[in-house]
Amino acid sequence: MAHLISFTTDRFDISGERPNPINPIAGQSVLLWLREELSRAQYRVTEPDTEDWGWYIDVENADASYLVGASAEPADRPPAVAWVVQVHKHRSMKDKIFGRNKMAGDDPLFALIERLVRGGARIEQVTVERDA
């Protein structure tokens, strides 16, 4: 299951993002910020790329690999934007069959992303859902 973080901010300029050729959904700008922060924390992170539901990056460390996705919609108070960041832990088929290597509530990558969002300037209305 994925863990989700939702928040509202005017910090990221979606008008400057590269267009998503699959669906006109923003997400690149928040992932560029996360990519920089996660790289500082010694994670290997790919460049943001598009998907039909938004944007994603692949994130790895020595212990695990993840897909981190982001999508955005204009909020009730322009220029604020409502964001959803989702974190999925990659698991092998064997892990899935035997119920192993599930994403824990205290997953280190998710905990780091949550700290970054909660500590970020001009970020409001933060909500967290584990196992969404």
Side-chain angles (χ1 to χ4, degrees):
M1 305 297 312
H3 289 4
L4 305 175
I5 300 176
S6 303
F7 57 94
T8 304
T9 186
D10 64 355
R11 181 174 174 178
F12 306 105
D13 181 12
I14 62 173
S15 68
E17 289 189 10
R18 179 170 49 101
N20 181 330
I22 303 167
N23 248 334
I25 300 172
Q28 180 187 34
S29 56
V30 77
L31 290 178
L32 288 171
W33 169 66
L34 284 174
R35 181 178 188 272
E36 184 177 319
E37 296 295 328
L38 296 176
S39 293
R40 282 191 194 127
Q42 305 305 308
Y43 284 90
R44 291 179 301 283
V45 186
T46 63
E47 289 288 330
D49 204 357
T50 58
E51 185 53 81
D52 62 350
W53 44 259
W55 291 75
Y56 72 93
I57 53 177
D58 290 309
V59 180
E60 294 182 356
N61 68 6
D63 300 322
S65 65
Y66 304 83
L67 179 137
V68 177
S71 58
E73 292 185 18
D76 296 337
R77 298 175 291 117
V81 174
W83 291 93
V84 176
V85 174
Q86 53 184 298
V87 180
H88 300 264
K89 187 174 185 180
H90 292 294
R91 299 167 59 208
S92 70
M93 183 60 75
K94 200 172 187 178
D95 285 341
K96 292 176 184 177
I97 291 170
F98 292 107
R100 298 185 303 216
N101 200 25
K102 292 180 180 178
M103 190 155 160
D106 62 348
D107 183 88
L109 175 66
F110 187 76
L112 174 58
I113 292 172
E114 183 179 357
R115 281 193 309 274
L116 291 168
V117 169
R118 289 191 186 278
R122 300 191 328 262
I123 295 178
E124 303 172 337
Q125 300 172 332
V126 178
T127 61
V128 172
E129 294 178 59
R130 288 173 172 78
D131 297 325

